Amino acid sequence: MADSTEPITIKKYANRRLYDTDSSRYVVLADLARMVRNGIEFEVVDVSSGDDLTRTVLTQIIVEEEA
């Protein structure tokens, strides 16, 4: 597991796949929503550009939860 002071890095690939570097597995938005509910901090980073996509992904989670 990641150190509690360091957020888990989730890598987002061009094919929309999300990879959890802490558990070495691919995840979906539902997995990230579960992490939010459990208070697990993470950051989402675009692999090709290095951009921080955390806010965008959190917005996606909220929209899907509301639907």
Side-chain angles (χ1 to χ4, degrees):
M1 281 307 246
D3 185 353
S4 61
T5 59
E6 291 290 319
I8 295 171
T9 300
I10 306 295
K11 294 182 178 180
K12 183 169 185 176
Y13 291 93
N15 61 1
R16 295 185 178 182
R17 295 198 70 180
L18 299 165
Y19 186 77
D20 181 345
T21 59
D22 187 54
S23 63
S24 300
R25 67 184 183 94
Y26 286 99
V27 295
V28 294
L29 283 180
D31 297 320
L32 297 182
R34 194 172 309 111
M35 290 171 70
V36 169
R37 286 191 295 273
N38 291 334
I40 299 170
E41 292 188 31
F42 62 87
E43 63 181 356
V44 181
V45 179
D46 185 275
V47 171
S48 59
S49 68
D51 292 342
D52 183 355
L53 302 175
T54 307
R55 285 183 179 211
T56 304
V57 170
L58 290 173
T59 302
Q60 282 182 288
I61 290 170
I62 291 168
V63 168
E64 289 203 6
E65 291 286 320
E66 293 293 320

